[in-house]
C-alpha cells in the first residue's frame, strides 16, 4: 500500500473520529462545579510525595492538578509545573492528584513512577481514593480530560479551570490580587455557550461534507458556506470556532484558494472557546493535497500551523515529529531554508530528550538525519 493511500486513510479515519467524539462529547449546559464555587474536599488514598494537605486553608492559594501515569501530555508538562511550583513556593501550594488509572495498576507502580521523576515532579503528589476526586472535580466541572488544573483562591473558591500550560498568566494575576473571579466565570460560561453552538452547527453542516474517503465526492461546498454565513451572522464569535472552521476552511480549499489562505492565516492566530484550530489547517491541507493542485503558500500555511502547535504546547512529547512534518511542508512550499531549519530542530529536540521521555529509536533518528541531508543537498 502506497504512503499517499495510507495518509488518506489515516486522515479519513481522523475525520470519522472527530465526528464520533463530537457525538459523545456535547458540552453540558449546566455543571455542578464552576468558577466561583467552593472547592470540593480533598480525598486521597495516600500521599506519594511532598507535604500532605488535608484541607484547603483560608488565606492560602492552591493549584490542584490531575494526571495519570499513562498520560504522556501530563508527564511532558511536569517540569513546567515544577518550575511554577518553585517560582510561587511562598505564595501557592501545588497538589497533583493521580486519577483515571487502570484498575490493574498497583499503587506501588504509581509510587515508583513518582519517585523516578525526581525534581521534574517537584511538588506534593497523591493518589485519589476510589474515583472521588475525578467525579467531584473533573466530572462535576464538565472538564474530564487530563492534564487539568484548578486554582483554589484564598477564599477557598475555584478561581480558574484549564490546561496547566495556561497557568502562568493566571497565577501571576492571582498572586498580585489582579484576578477577577466574576470575569473568569463569565468568560468560561460564554465559552461553553459557544462550544454548544459550534457542536450544533456541526450537525447542520455535516450533510454538505461529502465522503472524504472518496476523492471524487466533494460535497456541496457553496451550500455549506452560505449556511456558515448565516450562522456567523447570528453569532460572530463562531467565525473561527473549531467546527465552523473545519467546514469553512475545507469548503474554501475546494472553491477559492486565496480566500482559504486568508481565512487560514487569521484562523491560526484567533482563539475562540479553544485554542486556534491549527489541526483544522493541518488535516485539511494534508487531505486535499492529494485531491487538488495547491499553491506553495497553502503548503507554507500547513507548516505554519505546525509552528503554532509547537508554540502553544512546547511540552508536547511529539515535538520532534512535529518539527519533522513541518520541514516536509516547508519543502513542499519550496522554502529550502525553513525546511532545513525545521529538520535540524527535529533532530535537536529528539537528541535532547532524556531516556525516560524518549519514544524515538536510532532508526527514527537516522530517518530524520537522512531527510535533513536531502534538504541540504537539493
Amino acid at each position: 500500500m502506497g504512503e499517499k493511500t495510507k495518509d488518506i486513510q489515516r486522515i479519513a479515519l481522523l475525520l470519522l473520529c472527530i465526528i464520533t467524539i463530537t457525538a459523545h462529547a456535547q458540552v453540558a449546559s449546566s455543571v455542578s462545579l464552576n468558577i466561583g464555587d467552593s472547592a470540593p474536599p480533598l480525598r486521597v488514598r495516600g500521599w506519594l510525595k511532598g507535604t500532605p494537605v488535608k484541607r484547603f486553608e483560608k488565606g492560602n492559594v492552591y493549584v490542584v492538578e490531575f494526571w495519570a501515569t499513562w498520560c504522556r501530555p501530563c508527564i511532558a508538562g511536569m517540569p513546567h509545573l515544577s518550575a511554577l511550583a518553585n517560582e510561587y513556593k511562598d505564595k501557592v501550594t501545588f497538589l497533583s492528584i493521580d486519577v483515571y488509572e487502570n484498575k490493574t495498576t498497583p499503587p506501588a507502580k504509581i509510587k515508583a513512577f513518582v519517585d523516578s521523576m525526581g525534581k521534574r515532579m517537584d511538588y506534593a503528589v497523591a493518589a485519589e481514593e476510589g474515583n472521588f476526586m475525578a467525579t467531584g472535580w473533573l466530572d462535576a466541572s464538565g472538564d474530564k480530560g487530563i492534564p487539568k488544573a484548578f486554582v483554589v483562591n484564598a477564599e477557598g473558591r475555584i478561581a480558574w479551570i484549564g490546561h496547566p500550560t495556561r497557568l502562568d498568566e493566571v497565577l501571576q494575576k492571582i498572586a498580585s490580587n489582579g484576578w477577577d473571579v466574576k470575569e473568569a466565570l463569565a468568560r468560561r460560561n460564554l465559552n461553553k455557550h459557544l462550544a454548544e453552538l459550534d457542536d450544533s452547527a456541526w450537525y447542520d453542516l455535516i450533510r454538505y461534507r461529502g465522503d472524504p474517503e472518496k476523492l471524487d465526492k466533494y460535497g456541496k461546498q457553496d451550500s455549506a458556506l452560505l449556511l456558515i454565513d448565516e450562522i456567523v451572522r447570528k453569532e460572530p464569535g463562531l467565525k473561527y470556532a473549531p467546527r465552523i472552521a473545519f467546514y469553512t476552511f475545507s469548503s474554501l480549499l475546494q472553491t477559492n484558494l486565496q480566500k482559504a489562505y486568508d481565512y487560514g492565516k487569521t484562523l491560526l492566530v484567533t482563539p475562540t472557546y479553544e485554542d486556534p484550530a491549527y489541526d483544522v489547517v493541518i488535516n485539511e491541507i494534508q487531505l486535499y493535497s492529494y485531491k487538488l493542485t495547491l499553491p506553495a503558500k497553502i503548503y507554507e500555511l500547513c507548516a505554519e500551523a505546525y509552528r503554532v502547535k509547537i508554540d502553544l504546547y512546547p511540552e508536547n512529547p511529539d515535538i520532534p515529529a512535529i518539527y519533522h512534518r513541518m520541514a516536509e511542508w516547508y519543502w513542499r512550499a519550496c522554502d529550502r531554508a525553513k525546511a532545513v531549519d525545521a529538520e535540524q530542530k527535529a533532530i535537536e529536540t529528539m537528541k535532547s530528550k532524556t531516556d525516560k521521555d524518549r519514544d524515538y529509536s536510532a532508526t527514527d533518528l537516522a530517518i530524520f538525519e537522512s531527510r535533513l541531508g536531502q534538504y541540504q543537498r537539493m
Side-chain angles (χ1 to χ4, degrees):
M1 184 179 294
E3 289 300 318
K4 289 187 177 181
T5 302
K6 289 180 180 178
D7 284 345
I8 293 172
Q9 290 182 343
R10 176 181 59 79
I11 295 168
L13 179 60
L14 176 61
L15 296 174
L16 179 61
C17 288
I18 291 172
I19 295 171
T20 303
I21 290 170
T22 303
H24 293 283
Q26 294 294 306
V27 179
S29 59
S30 63
V31 296
S32 58
L33 179 65
N34 210 337
I35 291 175
D37 293 340
S38 296
L42 294 169
R43 187 180 298 177
V44 300
R45 182 175 64 238
W47 290 90
L48 307 175
K49 185 174 184 176
T51 303
V53 176
K54 295 182 178 180
R55 65 185 63 84
F56 298 116
E57 301 288 347
K58 294 293 181 65
N60 296 334
V61 176
Y62 300 84
V63 169
V64 184
E65 186 257 357
F66 293 92
W67 67 284
T69 58
W70 50 261
C71 173
R72 293 181 66 215
C74 299
I75 297 168
M78 287 172 181
H80 175 247
L81 205 62
S82 297
L84 287 176
N86 183 66
E87 180 180 353
Y88 291 96
K89 61 184 177 181
D90 297 325
K91 298 180 179 180
V92 182
T93 300
F94 282 69
L95 314 175
S96 191
I97 314 297
D98 175 60
V99 295
Y100 296 151
E101 286 293 349
N102 297 322
K103 293 182 179 179
T104 57
T105 303
K109 184 175 181 180
I110 301 172
K111 178 66 165 66
F113 172 87
V114 174
D115 291 343
S116 72
M117 291 298 293
K119 289 294 184 180
R120 291 178 297 165
M121 199 177 191
D122 200 14
Y123 37 80
V125 184
E128 72 169 339
E129 178 184 335
N131 62 351
F132 180 84
M133 295 294 290
T135 301
W137 291 71
L138 297 169
D139 294 355
S141 69
D143 284 281
K144 298 182 180 182
I146 55 174
K148 189 72 65 194
F150 294 71
V151 175
V152 180
N153 66 15
E155 287 74 46
R157 297 186 178 278
I158 303 295
W160 180 81
I161 304 170
H163 196 285
T165 55
R166 303 293 180 262
L167 275 169
D168 299 68
E169 179 183 356
V170 177
L171 290 179
Q172 184 178 27
K173 290 184 177 180
I174 288 177
S176 61
N177 297 316
W179 185 256
D180 189 326
V181 172
K182 290 183 179 180
E183 180 183 326
L185 173 62
R187 184 166 56 249
R188 176 174 165 80
N189 287 340
L190 173 61
N191 286 342
K192 285 187 173 293
H193 176 62
L194 290 175
E196 290 175 343
L197 294 177
D198 198 23
D199 278 347
S200 177
W202 176 276
Y203 294 102
D204 291 334
L205 288 163
I206 198 169
R207 65 183 183 273
Y208 301 125
R209 170 63 179 170
D211 188 345
E213 293 189 46
K214 298 179 180 178
L215 302 187
D216 59 338
K217 301 294 183 181
Y218 291 98
K220 301 176 180 179
Q221 308 312 324
D222 290 337
S223 297
L225 290 170
L226 286 172
L227 179 55
I228 288 169
D229 286 344
E230 179 64 17
I231 292 170
V232 172
R233 184 186 65 78
K234 294 178 180 178
E235 177 46 77
L238 290 174
K239 184 172 183 178
Y240 299 101
R243 291 158 184 79
I244 289 290
F246 172 85
Y247 282 105
T248 304
F249 189 66
S250 175
S251 297
L252 289 175
L253 274 179
Q254 299 170 69
T255 58
N256 191 316
L257 287 172
Q258 182 59 50
K259 287 185 178 180
Y261 176 78
D262 293 340
Y263 180 84
K265 289 285 284 186
T266 304
L267 178 64
L268 291 181
V269 295
T270 308
T272 53
Y273 64 88
E274 290 184 356
D275 292 327
Y278 51 82
D279 276 335
V280 166
V281 173
I282 292 170
N283 294 332
E284 290 303 282
I285 291 176
Q286 287 179 345
L287 175 62
Y288 286 102
S289 66
Y290 300 113
K291 302 171 69 173
L292 303 170
T293 300
L294 301 176
K297 65 181 180 182
I298 294 292
Y299 293 150
E300 183 179 15
L301 186 65
C302 187
E304 291 303 313
Y306 279 117
R307 188 175 301 281
V308 170
K309 187 172 186 175
I310 291 171
D311 290 343
L312 286 173
Y313 294 96
E315 295 153 3
N316 189 319
D318 295 323
I319 288 292
I322 295 172
Y323 272 123
H324 178 67
R325 291 191 287 269
M326 179 197 296
E328 177 186 351
W329 288 95
Y330 274 133
W331 181 253
R332 291 193 185 194
C334 301
D335 193 328
R336 176 176 174 273
K338 287 185 177 179
V340 168
D341 180 69
E343 198 67 50
Q344 287 174 332
K345 285 185 171 65
I347 294 169
E348 291 168 5
T349 53
M350 179 183 290
K351 290 181 175 179
S352 69
K353 286 184 173 293
T354 65
D355 290 339
K356 184 175 182 59
D357 297 329
R358 186 176 293 121
D359 283 334
Y360 300 96
S361 65
T363 301
D364 294 323
L365 179 59
I367 291 172
F368 283 24
E369 290 177 335
S370 174
R371 186 67 62 84
L372 175 60
Q374 292 175 22
Y375 294 153
Q376 291 172 328
R377 289 191 300 270
M378 294 181 179

